[in-house]
C-alpha cells in the first residue's frame, strides 16, 4: 500500500475545533501527514505567499497529492471515501442511516449554537481560560445542546453509535467548551465528554496546543 502525500494546515495555536476534527480523522485512519501552520492572528492566511487553499483562506486545509480541500466536514468525508476501509480505518459508521446521522450531527454543530461558540471560545478547551457566567441567550443554547446530546446518548453507550466515529470527537469538543469551564453540565454528558477526550488521537491534538503554550 503506497503512502499518500498529505499536508494538513492548522492555525498556529492549534485552537481550531475544525482542525482538531481533521487531525483526529487522519490519526484514526493511520494516515501519515505533514502538519503546517499559518498565523491567523497576523493575517498570514490572507497573504499571497501562503501555500494553503486560496479560495476560502481558512483552516483547516488538506492537501493530498495536489488536491486541496477546505471545510472540515468535507475533508473528513473525503478522507473516508478516498482512504476507504478495509485498507484504512473507518471514521464514519458503516450503516447508511447511522452515517447520515453522524453527518447531520457534524453539520448541526457547525451551523448552530453560535452563542456557546461566542461565549465559550476554544481557549477554554485548549488554553485553560475561564469565562464568566453564560448570558441568557447562551444558556438557552447550552440547554438545547444538553437536550439533543442526551437524546442522542439515551441508549446509555459511551459512543454515539455503539462504536466511535468522528462525530463523537466533534460533539465532545462542543460539550467541553462548557465542561472545562466549570459550567453546570448534566453528569451523563460530562462523563461522555471526558471519555471521548481521553482517546489517543484527541490527546495528541490537545498536546499540540499545550506544547505551543509552553
Amino acid at each position: 500500500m503506497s503512502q499518500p502525500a498529505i499536508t494538513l494546515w492548522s492555525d498556529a495555536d492549534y485552537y481550531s475545533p475544525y482542525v482538531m476534527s481533521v487531525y483526529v480523522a487522519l490519526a484514526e485512519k493511520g494516515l501519515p501527514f505533514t502538519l503546517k501552520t499559518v498565523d491567523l492572528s497576523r493575517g498570514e492566511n490572507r497573504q499571497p505567499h501562503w501555500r494553503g487553499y486560496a479560495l476560502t483562506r481558512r483552516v483547516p486545509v488538506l492537501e493530498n497529492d495536489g488536491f486541496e480541500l477546505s471545510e472540515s466536514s468535507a475533508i473528513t468525508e473525503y478522507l473516508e471515501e478516498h482512504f476507504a476501509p478495509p485498507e484504512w480505518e473507518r471514521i464514519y459508521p458503516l450503516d447508511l442511516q447511522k452515517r447520515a446521522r453522524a453527518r447531520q450531527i457534524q453539520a448541526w454543530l457547525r451551523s448552530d449554537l453560535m452563542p456557546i461558540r461566542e461565549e465559550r471560545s476554544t481557549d477554554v478547551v485548549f488554553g485553560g481560560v475561564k469565562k464568566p457566567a453564560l448570558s441568557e441567550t447562551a444558556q438557552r443554547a447550552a440547554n438545547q445542546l444538553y437536550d439533543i446530546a442526551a437524546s442522542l446518548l439515551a441508549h446509555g453507550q459511551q459512543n454515539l453509535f455503539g462504536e466511535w466515529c468522528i462525530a463523537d470527537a466533534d460533539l465532545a469538543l462542543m460539550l467541553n467548551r462548557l465542561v472545562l469551564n466549570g459550567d453546570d453540565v448534566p453528569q451523563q454528558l460530562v462523563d461522555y465528554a471526558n471519555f471521548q477526550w481521553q482517546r489517543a488521537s484527541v490527546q495528541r491534538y490537545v498536546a499540540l496546543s499545550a506544547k505551543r503554550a509552553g
Side-chain angles (χ1 to χ4, degrees), residues 11-138:
D11 61 302
D13 295 323
Y14 304 106
Y15 276 16
S16 169
Y18 311 116
V19 171
M20 190 195 93
S21 186
V22 175
Y23 182 100
V24 168
L26 288 165
E28 291 288 342
K29 279 194 165 292
L31 288 164
F33 63 97
T34 300
L35 185 62
K36 296 184 179 180
T37 62
V38 57
D39 193 333
L40 305 183
S41 66
R42 297 174 57 186
E44 288 183 356
N45 55 312
R46 295 185 176 87
Q47 301 303 313
H49 67 268
W50 182 45
R51 291 188 57 202
Y53 190 43
L55 182 61
T56 60
R57 294 286 176 177
R58 301 199 298 183
V59 294
V61 173
L62 184 86
E63 299 177 24
N64 175 39
D65 293 329
F67 175 65
E68 297 176 332
L69 186 64
S70 65
E71 302 303 321
S72 58
S73 58
I75 294 171
T76 55
E77 290 181 27
Y78 167 78
L79 291 172
E80 182 75 329
E81 294 178 16
H82 187 67
F83 301 102
E87 289 84 4
W88 305 96
E89 294 297 320
R90 185 177 301 282
I91 59 171
Y92 283 96
L94 175 62
D95 178 80
L96 176 62
Q97 293 184 356
K98 290 180 179 179
R99 187 162 66 249
R101 185 72 70 204
R103 288 169 170 163
Q104 176 191 351
I105 292 167
Q106 286 187 295
W108 168 63
L109 291 169
R110 286 157 172 74
S111 63
D112 203 350
L113 308 171
M114 181 59 73
I116 297 176
R117 286 183 275 159
E118 289 177 347
E119 298 188 22
R120 295 291 181 268
S121 55
T122 53
D123 54 1
V124 171
V125 178
F126 301 117
V129 174
K130 299 298 181 184
K131 305 285 187 177
L134 294 170
S135 66
E136 290 185 11
T137 300

Side-chain angles (χ1 to χ4, degrees), residues 130-148:
K130 299 298 181 184
K131 305 285 187 177
L134 294 170
S135 66
E136 290 185 11
T137 300
Q139 186 61 61
R140 285 195 296 270
N143 291 340
Q144 177 193 12
L145 171 62
Y146 302 156
D147 289 345
I148 293 175

